[in-house]
Amino acid sequence: MKKIFGRPAGLTEIIQRYCPGCGHGIVHRLIAELLVELDIRERTVGIAPVGCSVFADEYFNCDMIQPPHGRGPAVATGIKRSRPDCVLFSYQGDGDLAAIGTAETVHAAARNEKITVIFINNAIYGMTGGQLAPTTLPGMRSTTSVKGRDVVKQGYPIKVCELLSGVDGAYYLERCAVNTPKNIIKTKKALKTAFKNQMDDKGFSLVEILSMCPTGWGVTPVQSKQWIDDVMSKYYPLGVYRDRAKEEK
Amino acid sequence: MPEVKILEEVCKGCGLCCDDVCPVDILILSPDTINSSGYHPTVVTDMKKCIGCGYCYMICPEPAIEVYK
């Protein structure tokens, strides 16, 4: 009997401390698989965010740094410019990338830094207890919008891929989800393209991933999986927003 | 014959693999076993039906599932 699927070498043996049904684990595993497949584990530096995945440095079996809140792309820029042989990925949640770190993200894209940014969008602040995030959908309930997000009071959500597609510097932008095996395969493909763009010294790649947060949303894991299909992906349409490699052809 | 191995101590009993992910529908959350973290882990009801597609491994956030062939 040969093992065909199992914990990849890019992950450590530590049991992840995420809630049951959380999408972070799936994305961690996809990245870990790619580190092995592309044979870049020895020269990869990961940037852990502040948020639920703040302990990502314990889970990935590669070099990791945990910078201040939202400063992932800025730290990644510094490392990439001083050590161009390294492969950088900045793993960020919606509080980290779309709230406190918006400036760093937009400017890293505008400068076309040769880094890979992985953005986990679960439409809520998970770690702090399910508060309203910049990505919370209109009408969606959270602990700080108990009657649902009111766009008059709390404004509209930020669509990061659409926002960055207005920045000429960005090289590759795609939005995926991790709620079904089909979407997970697509996500892995997108992540692979994002890493390859960096290895070929092409430019700034960002993959936005719609992920489940059953605890924050107050639903079961199976319902949360369905909710991404029924509601979330209608507001945040999946697809490629910018692929300059294709445009140049 | 493909075989699915569930790492009971790693499984958090989220049930993502049990819903409609398995094409032959052989995964359920165990009603009577409980692991040291207090979760009901996934169990395989009929290993002979397994086709080794690996969808359960793909959706598992831990990953607490290994597939052998």
Side-chain angles (χ1 to χ4, degrees), chain B:
Chain B
M1 276 297 260
E3 206 170 284
V4 173
K5 190 179 159 199
I6 314 283
L7 309 174
E8 275 189 18
E9 280 303 307
V10 184
C11 180
K12 287 184 188 149
C14 65
L16 285 182
C17 56
C18 306
D19 181 33
D20 50 358
V21 167
C22 180
V24 285
D25 216 7
I26 54 169
L27 297 172
I28 55 159
L29 285 183
S30 162
D32 37 43
T33 51
I34 195 160
N35 69 14
S36 61
S37 310
Y39 296 117
H40 291 283
T42 300
V43 286
V44 183
T45 51
D46 188 0
M47 193 68 84
K48 280 186 213 116
K49 279 191 191 166
C50 181
I51 55 169
C53 62
Y55 281 8
C56 49
Y57 162 79
M58 254 177 242
I59 200 100
C60 182
E62 304 313 324
I65 298 178
E66 291 174 346
V67 184
Y68 295 84
K69 214 165 194 175

Side-chain angles (χ1 to χ4, degrees), chain A residues 68-177:
Chain A
H69 202 354
R71 273 58 185 160
V75 172
T77 301
I79 303 169
K80 187 69 183 177
R81 287 194 176 193
S82 53
R83 288 283 305 274
D85 55 314
C86 285
V87 177
L88 265 293
F89 74 87
S90 177
Y91 187 99
Q92 297 181 270
D94 36 20
D96 202 58
L97 187 140
I100 196 166
T102 323
E104 278 77 7
T105 314
V106 174
H107 283 273
R111 294 192 306 266
N112 196 16
E113 296 293 346
K114 318 285 186 283
I115 55 170
T116 302
V117 178
I118 295 147
F119 169 39
I120 311 297
N121 180 356
N122 54 15
I124 211 154
Y125 285 157
M127 183 185 73
T128 48
Q131 288 88 352
L132 183 105
T135 46
T136 301
L137 272 60
M140 181 179 166
R141 287 199 295 180
S142 68
T143 53
T144 46
S145 60
V146 284
K147 289 177 182 167
R149 183 175 191 151
D150 180 357
V151 290
V152 178
K153 272 190 203 156
Q154 287 134 345
Y156 286 90
I158 294 177
K159 296 179 170 181
V160 172
C161 276
E162 282 88 338
L163 173 78
L164 290 178
S165 60
V167 178
D168 287 345
Y171 190 85
Y172 178 75
L173 304 166
E174 181 164 356
R175 186 182 284 132
C176 326

Side-chain angles (χ1 to χ4, degrees), chain A residues 109-112 167-173 197 202-204 240-249:
Chain A
R111 294 192 306 266
N112 196 16
V167 178
D168 287 345
Y171 190 85
Y172 178 75
L173 304 166
N197 283 342
K202 290 281 172 52
F204 182 89
V240 182
Y241 285 80
R242 168 78 61 80
D243 189 354
R244 237 186 300 142
K246 264 190 189 160
E247 287 166 23
E248 281 165 8
K249 262 182 193 171

Side-chain angles (χ1 to χ4, degrees), chain A:
Chain A
M1 294 285 264
K2 206 179 124 207
K3 194 197 275 188
I4 50 167
F5 295 109
R7 183 177 278 265
L11 285 180
T12 55
E13 289 300 317
I14 295 171
I15 295 177
Q16 296 167 3
R17 294 182 285 268
Y18 297 120
C19 308
C22 175
H24 273 302
I26 303 174
V27 185
H28 280 19
R29 200 199 65 239
L30 293 177
I31 298 169
E33 282 175 357
L34 286 172
L35 295 183
V36 178
E37 274 174 36
L38 299 170
D39 197 21
I40 50 172
R41 192 174 70 81
E42 292 291 326
R43 59 188 178 104
T44 298
V45 182
I47 313 282
V50 173
C52 291
S53 44
V54 67
F55 292 119
D57 54 329
E58 291 181 17
Y59 306 146
F60 285 110
N61 198 2
C62 65
D63 291 339
M64 295 290 289
I65 290 183
Q66 209 283 306
H69 202 354
R71 273 58 185 160
V75 172
T77 301
I79 303 169
K80 187 69 183 177
R81 287 194 176 193
S82 53
R83 288 283 305 274
D85 55 314
C86 285
V87 177
L88 265 293
F89 74 87
S90 177
Y91 187 99
Q92 297 181 270
D94 36 20
D96 202 58
L97 187 140
I100 196 166
T102 323
E104 278 77 7
T105 314
V106 174
H107 283 273
R111 294 192 306 266
N112 196 16
E113 296 293 346
K114 318 285 186 283
I115 55 170
T116 302
V117 178
I118 295 147
F119 169 39
I120 311 297
N121 180 356
N122 54 15
I124 211 154
Y125 285 157
M127 183 185 73
T128 48
Q131 288 88 352
L132 183 105
T135 46
T136 301
L137 272 60
M140 181 179 166
R141 287 199 295 180
S142 68
T143 53
T144 46
S145 60
V146 284
K147 289 177 182 167
R149 183 175 191 151
D150 180 357
V151 290
V152 178
K153 272 190 203 156
Q154 287 134 345
Y156 286 90
I158 294 177
K159 296 179 170 181
V160 172
C161 276
E162 282 88 338
L163 173 78
L164 290 178
S165 60
V167 178
D168 287 345
Y171 190 85
Y172 178 75
L173 304 166
E174 181 164 356
R175 186 182 284 132
C176 326
V178 286
N179 60 331
T180 59
K182 184 184 156 198
N183 281 339
I184 291 170
I185 293 168
K186 276 189 186 166
T187 307
K188 189 173 178 184
K189 217 176 137 195
L191 288 171
K192 197 170 187 174
T193 316
F195 273 109
K196 280 222 164 132
N197 283 342
Q198 186 186 164
M199 289 159 73
D200 301 340
D201 225 14
K202 290 281 172 52
F204 182 89
S205 308
L206 182 139
V207 181
E208 175 176 348
I209 300 167
L210 305 185
S211 161
M212 299 80 87
C213 182
T215 311
W217 298 349
V219 295
T220 66
V222 174
Q223 285 169 334
S224 72
K225 194 169 73 163
Q226 202 56 44
W227 193 77
I228 289 188
D229 266 342
D230 296 346
V231 184
M232 204 176 170
S233 59
K234 300 275 191 304
Y235 197 83
Y236 294 110
L238 307 181
V240 182
Y241 285 80
R242 168 78 61 80
D243 189 354
R244 237 186 300 142
K246 264 190 189 160
E247 287 166 23
E248 281 165 8
K249 262 182 193 171

